Amino acid sequence: METVTEIFGENVFNETVMKSRLPKETYRQLMKTIEGGEKLDPTVANIVANAMKDWALEKGATHFTHWFQPLTGITAEKHDSFINPVSGGKVIMEFSGKELVQGEPDASSFPSGGIRATFEARGYTAWDPTSYAFIKDGTLCIPTAFCSYTGEALDKKTPLLRSMQAISKQAVRVLKLFEGNEEVTSVKTTVGPEQEYFLVDKSVYDKREDLIYTGRTLFGAKAPKGQELEDHYFGMIKPRVQEYMKDLNRELWKLGILAKTEHNEVAPAQHELAPVFTTTNLACDHNQLTMEMMRKVADRHGMVCLLHEKPFAGVNGSGKHNNWSISTNTGKNLLDPGATPESNAQFLLFLCAIIKAVDEYQDLLRISVASAGNDHRLGANEAPPAIISIFLGDELSSILESIEKGLPYGKHEKEKMQIGVTVLPEFNKDTTDRNRTSPFAFTGNKFEFRMLGSSESIACANVFLNTVVAEELSQFADKLEGSKDFKADLHELILNTIREHKRIIFNGNGYDESWVKEAEKRGLYNLKSTPEALPHILDEKNVRVFEKFGVYSRVELESRYEIHNENYSKIINIEAETMLEMSKKFILPAASKYAGKLAETISMKKNVCPDCEAVYESEMLKKVSTLTSAIFEKTEKLESEVCQAKKISAEEDSGKTAFFYREHVFEAMNSLRECADELEVITPKEFWPFPSYGDLLYSIR
């Protein structure tokens, strides 16, 4: 059997393959494009395309596709074969530089938020040479950006690449102010997204319409045993799941994805996969592939992988922790505290830029993780609250406090904390506990943005994070470049930043109700739902920062606002329609059938034994009848709310429609579910039409 080192990256047209197959000069020019962002020469594209085609054919590929990430949240691909006809009824296999560099899918068939009308079909995909091509299902996949005929970004990759360019430029400006950075020419943000997921047996999944249509259970009473015993987290992995993980790892490794850590998560049937961190745009591509492979491999093993943020009520949902850091092209992690005065001062300046960014753009970070699915998690005692705050830990917080107050720090030198003048304390990476309730936590040499939903692309969160940090670095560079007294000005800048933005730092329990009140006093946002958060994307300060760095235009932001609102409303509508169908076609008939059986039993008992009271059957009949009536009424109410929502959708803007779905349709869904779940608890298994939570959560043995 082949070893991991032998199979790793075998389906990737990576640097090693390029070096062995491309002429030296072509390889050199291509690496200049990949590493330095230089424009690609068309002649280079032709040579690369031919080498890529030969490699793909040797691997058994017959087609190629421009693999891109439209605003649907998943990936898209249109396959073309390599064949070209020649005389004599024969074909040859060809692939040109033009085909490599540019494609033309139908832009009108993807979400555009009004940028493109239905009849305006032209859109373009453009090769992203910084992300390696790969082979999947016998097809050469070329990672690409996707834009409209008029140049607006219609995907998640284009803004991500723009944001990476923005933070690189501004970070280099700041780094040039410090000694020892002479060789730094660029920086890259790096990400390691931890992916949580559920596995259920396919035979059980197939009996649940709600899981099939929506990815989550819309009905379902709690199982007798959930996660109360805390025995699943890091517990022994079941053999069937272990085989799945083993198969999944091999598929990911073949694609050059650095799958590293796997374990059981908190809830029954819940698991996690974490990769080694890599450059952000690659991490985004890899995470999209990871989610796709998770589903495909699960199907091979007779299972279904659920990536919804909240497949089951009453147990932990699934998130995606975005471990974010910044590194130079010389290999230095800028979020590593270091040990010398110079590196500590530099670290503290970057730290302050991030603190300021998170404080001033809390709304954007909340929007970056907003979705119908994620609304179920945030603040639900299993994920960070919807309030954005930063966890720094006791020691780092104490250092900032010492700087602010001009006091000596702890057991170190009894001198004032004067940045760049006195020796700063050396502190280890892990001098404090981790805080799992924090949305944005410093964890030694990186920040862990813990609010992302499990099914969502990581692109948006990193676009927003990169851009707002670039803005603060830009402001810092403006203030310090040309300074006549750099050390004094640096100290003043850090001091003022701490004083003005310390409200965003919170090291306590984010689940405690007192934090909600405290956050309100501090003036922090508490945007509990997607419809509440989304309008802030068009706040003038937010439009300004994106336009400043060319990450999004106002038109592109307006389109995202429309798309996200429409997506939210469509998801809630699909869920509501599914609930109506399940209630009308399954739950109400099942309840009626059970009530009929109870009535029949009561009648039979009285015929056989006139003095018998049939207490159990009579009481159960009353309960079932009462709940059935309530379910019927609430089903009618939900149907009415859905009809009203559709009328509003036709007449009002997308924002008002989303609010109506949240405040009326969603509430009617919850009310209907409450009664149906109560009925399930007292209904015999033979009458209940769906597999229970116990059947689902413990379906894999």
Side-chain angles (χ1 to χ4, degrees), residues 137-149:
D137 301 328
T139 300
L140 173 66
C141 298
I142 302 152
T144 57
F146 178 43
C147 64
S148 73
Y149 177 70

Side-chain angles (χ1 to χ4, degrees), residues 373-662:
N374 213 21
D375 281 357
H376 294 287
R377 287 178 62 246
L378 298 179
N381 284 348
E382 63 187 68
I387 303 166
I388 301 286
S389 64
I390 294 178
F391 169 83
L392 293 180
D394 295 337
E395 184 164 15
L396 196 49
S397 295
S398 296
I399 289 172
L400 297 188
E401 185 178 358
S402 298
I403 294 170
E404 180 190 3
K405 295 180 178 178
L407 298 173
Y409 171 68
K411 52 185 177 292
H412 295 270
E413 295 187 37
K414 299 300 182 182
E415 299 179 39
K416 287 186 177 181
M417 295 283 286
Q418 185 69 30
I419 305 300
V421 179
T422 60
V423 177
L424 292 180
E426 178 181 350
F427 51 97
N428 298 321
K429 291 180 181 177
D430 300 314
T431 57
T432 187
D433 197 2
R434 294 181 66 194
N435 186 337
R436 70 182 302 272
T437 73
S438 175
F440 200 80
F442 184 72
T443 55
N445 60 358
K446 64 185 185 303
F447 276 96
E448 187 176 11
F449 190 18
R450 303 181 66 252
M451 296 179 76
L452 284 69
S454 54
S455 67
E456 299 296 312
S457 164
I458 66 170
C460 187
N462 286 290
V463 168
F464 285 22
L465 188 54
N466 289 347
T467 305
V468 299
V469 174
E471 166 63 7
E472 307 308 346
L473 292 172
S474 171
Q475 290 183 24
F476 286 3
D478 289 344
K479 289 179 181 178
L480 294 174
E481 285 173 344
S483 171
K484 294 180 180 178
D485 190 344
F486 177 73
K487 290 181 179 179
D489 290 344
L490 173 63
H491 178 76
E492 183 181 4
L493 177 57
I494 290 178
L495 180 63
N496 289 338
T497 303
I498 294 168
R499 285 175 175 167
E500 293 169 11
H501 300 284
K502 64 182 179 181
R503 66 172 184 168
I504 200 70
I505 299 170
F506 177 65
N507 293 329
N509 182 5
Y511 294 163
D512 198 302
E513 187 61 31
S514 63
W515 167 233
V516 177
K517 297 175 183 176
E518 171 64 22
E520 187 177 359
K521 287 181 184 177
R522 296 188 186 189
L524 304 181
Y525 284 109
N526 186 8
L527 303 170
K528 297 179 182 178
S529 70
T530 295
E532 291 173 76
L534 285 178
H536 290 283
I537 199 172
L538 298 178
D539 288 355
E540 202 54 42
K541 73 175 178 67
N542 296 334
V543 175
R544 192 183 308 120
V545 73
F546 284 122
E547 288 193 324
K548 175 179 177 178
F549 296 105
V551 174
Y552 291 113
S553 66
R554 183 181 293 271
V555 169
E556 289 171 334
L557 286 172
E558 288 171 347
S559 76
R560 268 73 180 167
Y561 171 73
E562 293 295 324
I563 289 167
H564 284 299
N565 273 316
E566 289 175 5
N567 182 259
Y568 179 89
S569 297
K570 287 174 181 177
I571 286 173
I572 302 299
N573 186 72
I574 291 169
E575 291 182 347
E577 296 277 15
T578 303
M579 286 192 86
L580 289 172
E581 180 164 308
M582 292 174 75
S583 178
K584 290 178 181 179
K585 292 186 176 180
F586 298 99
I587 294 175
L588 286 171
S592 179
K593 185 176 181 181
Y594 180 40
K597 182 66 175 177
L598 288 168
E600 181 185 341
T601 302
I602 293 169
S603 177
M604 287 175 60
K605 277 191 174 184
K606 287 185 176 180
N607 286 336
V608 174
C609 179
D611 295 331
C612 296
E613 295 183 6
V615 176
Y616 165 73
E617 290 84 358
S618 297
E619 288 301 314
M620 288 302 297
L621 182 57
K622 287 178 186 177
K623 288 182 180 179
V624 171
S625 297
T626 300
L627 285 170
T628 302
S629 297
I631 291 169
F632 176 73
E633 290 172 7
K634 293 178 185 298
T635 299
E636 294 285 293
K637 173 66 173 175
L638 176 57
E639 189 162 36
S640 173
E641 297 288 14
V642 170
C643 289
Q644 183 62 26
K646 290 177 179 177
K647 288 180 183 178
I648 293 172
S649 178
E651 299 168 0
E652 303 284 354
D653 64 38
S654 61
K656 290 181 179 178
T657 303
F659 264 105
F660 187 88
Y661 270 103
R662 174 69 184 183

Side-chain angles (χ1 to χ4, degrees), residues 28-96:
R28 188 183 66 81
Q29 290 185 47
L30 180 58
M31 293 310 295
K32 277 187 175 181
T33 299
I34 293 172
E35 296 176 353
E38 294 187 14
K39 191 172 182 179
L40 189 70
D41 189 308
T43 58
V44 171
N46 278 321
I47 297 170
V48 173
N50 190 60
M52 200 179 279
K53 180 253 309 180
D54 290 344
W55 171 79
L57 291 175
E58 290 171 18
K59 292 283 185 181
T62 57
H63 289 66
F64 69 91
T65 182
H66 276 196
W67 184 80
F68 59 103
Q69 299 169 39
L71 298 174
T72 55
I74 57 175
T75 57
E77 50 196 70
K78 180 186 74 170
H79 298 186
D80 287 295
S81 70
F82 291 116
I83 66 169
N84 269 306
V86 293
S87 59
K90 298 289 186 180
V91 296
I92 58 173
M93 307 299 266
E94 289 186 338
F95 183 49
S96 68

